């Protein structure tokens, strides 16, 4: 009985009708003829209420629902959640879907309202965008069903609590894999890099197709086949590619609800996948006060799964990163010349100068690319016209910091260290482009 009473919800229409009848009873104190009309309406309301309850509860099945969750969520991306609703009633019903979303979304007004014909099945899809890696706990799926009378809603609960882990952005893998292996790079903001033939290995002779480099035409084969033939080259293989992620406090800064660390993690996942697809060895490790989360560069089938699981548990420790420890660990454990993609952040030249000797030492034996971030909030300030003395000061300070970022790039280039200064949202694209550029030019 208690469960039955908890599942009944009186709707707004009932309270409007009840309030109207109450007003009639009040008026009947002054006009006695209205009393009988008010009483009639009251009995009609009670009968309609009872009949509405009988309609909803006579069918034990009522409305059936099922929520389909993905095995894992992709961090920073739109993830689809599917709900299937089946109307088991023999009348058209109005439904309201209230799904209990994980606490990380801080969304307490989620609902979907629709109507279903008798015995109709319908699928509803909504999207969620998680911004924190970890476990996401979904609560109950609540369905409120109303008959055409509309006085009462029947509450039913389905798909009890479920946990879905939120992993680094694996949905980007196919997107950027397509970019890296086609000639449509410019559509995605990437530069097409001219390949230098003497850094590549000859693979085969093939028929010329639009887009092939005419300098690779094989004239002897062309004369024999009577149509254009070109030499095809392949990049050097089995080169170690390491993603080095700074987990110090500088990577905790948020942009568009994601931290710099999460942008670096998503980029690492994509670069590792592309490197393996291009027959290179992909690895990674993190550092702050010490070097940890090490995945040795390999090209095995299970490498991407190992990288994904390692990235899942990475967090910042809010400490000052020890670049001396990083240099020592690289010198001891990475004996072959490798491409090191270092994700960190420098806000001032002084911050760079403190770490520059260690970066120079690493760059002597490895190809080092230092990747750090533009402060997009400062750039937005520069676009606002100054109309007061305070705003002039703010714009001046912002210009100083933006200029200092550019000076950091020049300082790194002066010492022969490659660098990428990028907005957080363009990190993956720019890092991928740099990797393809290095492969094309044979710098490694």
């Amino acid at each position: 009985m208690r469960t039955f009473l908890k599942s009944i919800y009186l709707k707004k229409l009932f309270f409007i009708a009840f309030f109207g009848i109450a007003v009639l009873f009040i008026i009947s104190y002054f006009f006695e003829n209205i009393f009988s009309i008010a009483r009639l309406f009251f009995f009609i309301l009670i009968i309609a209420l009872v009949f509405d309850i009988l309609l909803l509860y006579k069918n034990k099945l009522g409305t059936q629902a099922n929520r389909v969750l993905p095995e894992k969520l992709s961090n920073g991306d739109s993830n689809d959640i599917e709900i299937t609703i089946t109307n088991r009633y023999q009348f058209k019903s109005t439904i309201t879907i209230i799904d209990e979303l994980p606490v990380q979304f801080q969304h307490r007004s989620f609902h979907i309202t629709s109507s279903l014909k008798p015995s109709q099945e319908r699928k509803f899809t909504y999207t969620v965008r998680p911004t924190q890696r970890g476990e996401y706990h979904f609560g109950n799926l609540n369905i409120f069903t109303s008959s055409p009378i509309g006085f009462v809603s029947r509450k039913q609960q389905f798909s009890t609590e479920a946990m879905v882990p939120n992993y680094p952005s694996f949905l980007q893998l196919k997107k950027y894999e397509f970019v890296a292996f086609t000639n449509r790079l410019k559509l995605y903001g990437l530069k097409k890099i001219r390949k230098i033939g003497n850094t590549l290995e000859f693979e085969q002779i093939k028929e010329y197709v639009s887009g092939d480099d005419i300098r690779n035409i094989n004239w002897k084969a062309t004369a024999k086949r009577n149509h254009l033939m070109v030499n095809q080259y392949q990049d050097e293989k089995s080169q170690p590619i390491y993603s080095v992620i700074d987990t110090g406090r500088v990577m905790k800064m948020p942009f568009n609800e994601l931290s710099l660390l999460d942008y670096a993690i998503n980029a690492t996942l994509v670069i590792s996948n592309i490197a393996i697809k291009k027959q290179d060895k992909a690895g990674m490790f993190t550092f702050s006060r010490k070097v940890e989360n090490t995945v040795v560069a390999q090209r095995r089938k299970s490498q991407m799964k190992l990288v994904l699981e390692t990235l899942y548990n990475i967090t910042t420790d809010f400490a000052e990163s020890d670049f001396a420890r990083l240099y020592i660990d690289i010198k001891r454990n990475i004996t072959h010349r490798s491409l090191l993609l270092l994700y960190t952040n420098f806000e001032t030249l002084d911050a760079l100068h403190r770490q520059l000797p260690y970066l120079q030492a690493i760059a002597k034996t490895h190809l080092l690319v230092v990747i750090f971030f533009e402060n997009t909030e400062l750039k937005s300030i520069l676009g606002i016209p100054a109309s007061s003395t305070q705003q002039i000061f703010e714009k001046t300070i912002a210009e100083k910091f933006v200029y200092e970022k550019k000076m950091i790039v020049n300082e790194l280039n002066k010492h022969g260290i490659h660098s990428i200064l990028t907005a957080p949202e363009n990190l993956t694209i720019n890092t991928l482009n740099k990797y393809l550029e290095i492969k094309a030019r044979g710098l490694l």
Side-chain angles (χ1 to χ4, degrees):
M1 184 64 179
R2 187 176 180 183
T3 304
F4 168 74
L5 293 176
K6 281 187 173 183
S7 67
I8 296 178
Y9 284 79
L10 298 176
K11 296 190 68 178
K12 184 178 180 180
L13 181 62
F14 172 79
F15 289 106
I16 291 174
F18 185 82
F19 179 76
I21 294 171
V23 171
L24 285 178
F25 274 113
I26 294 172
I27 295 174
S28 68
Y29 278 100
F30 306 99
F31 304 96
E32 294 183 2
N33 295 334
I34 297 179
F35 179 77
S36 58
I37 298 174
R39 185 172 59 179
L40 176 63
F41 282 156
F42 176 75
F43 286 124
I44 292 174
L45 178 65
I46 297 301
I47 293 170
L49 178 65
V50 173
F51 185 66
D52 198 3
I53 294 173
L54 289 175
L55 279 177
L56 291 173
Y57 286 87
K58 184 178 180 182
N59 186 333
K60 292 183 178 180
L61 292 176
T63 302
Q64 297 296 294
N66 181 46
R67 178 179 59 205
V68 179
L69 295 172
E71 292 184 5
K72 52 183 178 285
L73 300 174
S74 179
N75 195 32
D77 298 320
S78 294
N79 298 262
D80 291 339
I81 309 296
E82 187 178 279
I83 297 175
T84 303
I85 306 290
T86 305
N87 181 16
R88 300 296 184 186
Y89 292 108
Q90 297 305 310
F91 53 81
K92 183 179 180 180
S93 62
T94 301
I95 61 165
T96 299
I97 304 169
I98 299 179
D99 201 356
E100 297 176 3
L101 301 178
V103 66
Q104 290 93 331
F105 295 121
Q106 291 297 303
H107 189 18
R108 294 294 174 266
S109 59
F110 172 85
H111 70 278
I112 300 172
T113 302
S114 185
S115 60
L116 295 176
K117 296 177 181 178
S119 302
Q120 180 185 2
E121 179 178 295
R122 188 173 174 185
K123 291 183 179 179
F124 300 87
T125 302
Y126 68 92
T127 59
V128 293
R129 182 178 178 267
T131 55
Q132 301 173 26
R133 282 167 292 111
E135 296 181 351
Y136 281 63
H137 294 269
F138 286 80
N140 293 318
L141 175 62
N142 303 284
I143 307 297
F144 294 84
T145 308
S146 302
S147 72
I149 297 174
F151 283 165
V152 178
S153 284
R154 176 185 178 183
K155 177 184 176 183
Q156 294 176 273
Q157 289 187 327
F158 304 90
S159 300
T160 53
E161 297 183 0
M163 188 280 291
V164 182
N166 181 32
Y167 277 82
S169 181
F170 56 85
L171 291 180
Q172 295 184 16
L173 293 183
K174 289 187 178 180
K175 171 186 173 182
Y176 289 110
E177 185 177 324
F178 170 78
V179 172
F181 289 91
T182 64
N183 293 322
R184 304 177 66 187
L185 301 180
K186 292 183 180 179
L187 298 179
Y188 292 84
L190 305 180
K191 297 181 293 183
K192 186 174 181 180
I193 305 301
R194 181 175 64 86
K195 295 193 177 217
I196 302 173
N198 60 10
T199 66
L200 306 176
E201 299 177 0
F202 176 78
E203 184 177 14
Q204 64 176 348
I205 299 174
K206 69 179 189 70
E207 292 185 8
Y208 174 86
V209 295
S210 179
D212 287 337
D213 193 338
I214 60 174
R215 291 170 297 182
N216 293 331
I217 294 176
N218 188 317
W219 295 107
K220 289 184 178 179
T222 297
K224 289 180 180 179
R225 299 293 295 273
N226 203 26
H227 56 262
L228 289 176
M229 305 291 291
V230 294
N231 295 329
Q232 185 174 10
Y233 299 92
Q234 62 181 5
D235 295 328
E236 294 180 11
K237 300 178 179 179
S238 298
Q239 296 174 311
I241 313 296
Y242 278 95
S243 296
V244 186
I245 303 175
D246 185 349
T247 56
R249 60 171 174 260
V250 296
M251 297 294 282
K252 190 62 178 176
M253 188 180 296
F255 285 94
N256 195 20
E257 299 181 355
L258 283 177
S259 67
L260 296 183
L261 177 64
D262 282 310
Y263 282 107
I265 286 172
N266 291 344
T268 295
L269 188 65
V270 171
I271 294 300
S272 299
N273 181 58
I274 298 301
I276 291 173
K277 296 290 184 180
K278 284 188 168 289
Q279 307 301 313
D280 282 331
K281 298 176 181 178
M284 61 150 292
F285 55 90
T286 65
F287 78 101
S288 180
R289 282 177 286 195
K290 61 180 180 178
V291 175
E292 52 190 352
N293 299 309
T294 301
V295 176
V296 179
Q298 296 289 342
R299 206 176 66 196
R300 55 192 175 187
K301 293 181 178 179
S302 60
Q303 189 73 354
M304 280 306 300
K305 183 178 180 181
L306 181 59
V307 170
L308 182 63
E309 293 296 334
T310 304
L311 291 172
Y312 174 71
N313 294 309
I314 293 175
T315 57
T316 53
D317 60 5
F318 301 99
E320 182 75 21
S321 299
D322 190 346
F323 280 77
R325 174 81 62 160
L326 173 66
Y327 164 66
I328 293 170
D329 193 271
I330 289 175
K331 187 175 181 180
R332 287 178 179 173
N333 299 317
I334 306 179
T335 55
H336 297 285
R337 179 172 169 81
S338 306
L339 171 60
L340 303 180
L341 301 170
L342 173 59
Y343 300 93
T344 185
N345 198 31
F346 297 112
E347 289 294 335
T348 64
L349 268 173
D350 289 337
L352 173 66
H353 285 148
R354 288 197 299 269
Q355 315 301 346
L356 190 57
Y358 306 113
L359 298 177
Q360 288 179 273
I362 295 171
K364 286 181 180 179
T365 53
H366 300 282
L367 181 58
L368 176 63
V369 180
V370 178
I371 305 166
F372 60 110
F373 300 88
E374 295 176 350
N375 192 324
T376 53
E377 294 295 325
L378 291 179
K379 295 190 75 174
S380 65
I381 292 176
L382 296 179
I384 302 174
S387 58
S388 65
T389 304
Q390 181 178 345
Q391 289 179 344
I392 292 173
F393 280 120
E394 289 175 351
K395 286 196 68 171
T396 303
I397 294 171
E399 286 175 355
K400 177 183 178 297
F401 279 107
V402 170
Y403 176 73
E404 201 152 357
K405 287 277 188 178
K406 296 177 182 178
M407 291 297 293
I408 292 172
V409 173
N410 292 335
E411 190 72 11
L412 289 169
N413 291 339
K414 186 171 71 175
H415 292 88
I417 300 173
H418 294 265
S419 63
I420 301 175
L421 174 60
T422 177
E425 62 268 21
N426 297 327
L427 172 64
T428 302
I429 289 176
N430 291 334
T431 306
L432 175 57
N433 188 44
K434 190 68 175 180
Y435 166 69
L436 295 176
E437 176 187 345
I438 290 171
K439 291 290 292 180
R441 292 179 176 171
L443 299 178
L444 185 58

